[in-house]
Amino acid sequence: MRVLGVDPGLTRCGLGVVDGGKGRAVSCVAVDVVRTPVDASLATRLLRVSEAVEEWLDRYRPEAVAVERVFSQHNVRTVMGTAQAGGVVALSAARRGLPVVFHTPSEVKAAVTGSGRADKAQVTGMVTRLLGLAEAPSPADAADALALAICHLWREPMRARLAEAEARAAELAKAHKARLAAAAKKAKGAAR
Amino acid sequence: MRVLGVDPGLTRCGLGVVDGGKGRAVSCVAVDVVRTPVDASLATRLLRVSEAVEEWLDRYRPEAVAVERVFSQHNVRTVMGTAQAGGVVALSAARRGLPVVFHTPSEVKAAVTGSGRADKAQVTGMVTRLLGLAEAPSPADAADALALAICHLWREPMRARLAEAEARAAELAKAHKARLAAAAKKAKGAAR
């Protein structure tokens, strides 16, 4: 399974493609940071991010896209731009019918380092080690994009299993309800 | 000039097309609200908003797009979805080379009613009257989209004139600086 991880942003947007193998084996396919000019209009910056993501989707053909979920209340202006960039990324993936999953920063940190409160240096260190990279990806946005992809690869099977179990439980509950209704109807018929 | 106004949102996205005539004359070309299912994934909802906007851009061929700028600190979750929907709208416009301008709610209210603190009913009432509509656009998101388009039509000439004046002032300042430098050089030459 191949995943494109995206740490969305207008000033710097991290992109990382990771292949998952057996168990927890992961390997880095590509990593980069897209920058858009600070003095360009918001629409132009979003277009640039969108074009870069489209290009990566064409080139690396990932099977899923993992995007960082923005939550922070700090600096509303920056957060809005980040959310908009994330929306544009999700749109590109949805257009191609690719699944898009949003992971919170603490989910990503927990998946990669074992702690939801790990700092940037710890995340970068673990990403570098897990992917067997010769040097640490830089800037942090690049490492974060790779961490997102790894998080998705490791969490997704569990999430899918859970969704399957829930669907089966709902199916069983439905069948049980139908049996109950049939029994009630039969009882009514016998009483008449 | 024809403007598409967009009150972005995932649950309800208001779309309104308004033609501007001489002076402050405005007429309504189309107005509607796009809804996306609450239980669909974020990516699917963004895709639906994007498709609707693309369809409107094809059908009505506006020359500019006016989008509401999201600021609110209330309900971060909703604001994020709204910001993402706005980003997707801006992207569609930018792809076609159309100018996209974000207006704040108070700018829109002030343009349409004369007060930046007008309530929803006042905005809807003024939009209905200005466009000579037989009945008030409903829901409020539809009226807001029309108000955005009107705000853009009325503010844009002023904004463009201001930008032109600023460019001319910068040009004059540059020419003046060049003349000063030339004079200084000449004076140095004479002193030698």
Side-chain angles (χ1 to χ4, degrees):
Chain A
M1 169 121 172
R2 176 171 288 189
V3 175
L4 168 63
V6 182
D7 183 17
L10 293 176
T11 306
R12 285 182 307 277
C13 180
L15 299 173
V17 178
V18 176
D19 277 346
K22 281 207 171 167
R24 288 170 80 85
V26 282
S27 63
C28 178
V29 177
V31 62
D32 202 1
V33 164
V34 178
R35 294 163 204 270
T36 75
V38 182
D39 55 352
S41 72
L42 172 58
T44 304
R45 301 181 81 181
L46 289 172
L47 182 60
R48 181 68 202 96
V49 168
S50 169
E51 285 170 347
V53 168
E54 294 278 345
E55 200 190 304
W56 276 56
L57 292 175
D58 282 342
R59 197 188 304 169
Y60 300 110
R61 309 243 158 233
E63 291 143 80
V65 178
V67 184
E68 186 167 303
R69 185 186 292 276
V70 189
F71 264 129
S72 173
Q73 303 255 17
H74 316 300
N75 198 343
V76 178
R77 206 191 154 91
T78 310
V79 168
M80 288 298 161
T82 307
Q84 287 172 324
V88 157
V89 171
L91 176 70
S92 289
R95 274 222 187 94
R96 292 161 195 248
L98 293 177
V100 187
V101 180
F102 287 81
H103 299 280
T104 64
S106 57
E107 280 169 357
V108 175
K109 287 174 187 173
V112 173
T113 70
S115 160
R117 292 162 164 234
D119 62 20
K120 290 222 168 265
Q122 285 172 300
V123 171
T124 299
M126 275 306 288
V127 164
T128 308
R129 204 180 317 162
L130 288 165
L131 295 170
L133 301 175
E135 53 184 277
S138 166
D141 315 74
D144 283 348
L146 292 171
L148 266 154
I150 296 170
C151 169
H152 187 78
L153 283 163
W154 288 353
R155 282 176 64 101
E156 191 49 26
M158 201 170 64
R159 205 194 59 80
R161 265 212 306 276
L162 199 69
E164 204 192 312
E166 278 172 355
R168 205 162 41 217
E171 202 59 47
L172 284 171
K174 205 172 138 190
H176 182 64
K177 218 169 148 184
R179 270 200 305 275
L180 278 182
K185 205 173 161 188
K186 207 171 158 190
K188 235 190 220 170
R192 216 181 285 157
Chain B
M1 169 120 175
R2 175 170 288 188
V3 175
L4 169 63
V6 182
D7 183 18
L10 293 176
T11 306
R12 284 182 308 278
C13 180
L15 299 173
V17 178
V18 176
D19 276 348
K22 281 208 170 165
R24 289 169 80 86
V26 283
S27 62
C28 178
V29 178
V31 62
D32 203 0
V33 163
V34 178
R35 293 161 203 274
T36 75
V38 181
D39 56 351
S41 74
L42 173 59
T44 304
R45 301 181 82 181
L46 289 172
L47 182 58
R48 181 67 200 96
V49 167
S50 169
E51 284 169 348
V53 168
E54 294 277 345
E55 202 189 303
W56 277 56
L57 292 175
D58 282 342
R59 197 188 302 167
Y60 300 110
R61 309 245 158 230
E63 290 143 79
V65 178
V67 185
E68 187 168 304
R69 184 186 294 276
V70 189
F71 264 129
S72 173
Q73 302 253 19
H74 316 300
N75 198 343
V76 178
R77 207 191 155 89
T78 309
V79 169
M80 288 299 162
T82 307
Q84 287 170 325
V88 157
V89 172
L91 176 70
S92 289
R95 273 219 187 98
R96 291 160 196 250
L98 293 177
V100 187
V101 180
F102 286 81
H103 299 281
T104 65
S106 57
E107 279 168 357
V108 175
K109 287 174 186 173
V112 173
T113 71
S115 160
R117 293 163 160 229
D119 61 21
K120 288 222 171 266
Q122 286 173 298
V123 171
T124 299
M126 276 306 289
V127 164
T128 309
R129 205 180 317 163
L130 288 166
L131 295 170
L133 301 175
E135 53 184 276
S138 165
D141 315 75
D144 284 348
L146 292 171
L148 267 153
I150 296 171
C151 168
H152 187 78
L153 282 164
W154 289 353
R155 284 176 62 102
E156 190 51 26
M158 202 170 63
R159 205 194 58 78
R161 265 211 306 276
L162 199 70
E164 204 191 310
E166 277 172 352
R168 204 161 42 214
E171 202 59 45
L172 283 172
K174 205 172 137 191
H176 181 65
K177 217 169 149 185
R179 269 201 305 274
L180 279 182
K185 202 173 163 190
K186 207 171 156 190
K188 235 189 220 170
R192 217 182 282 150

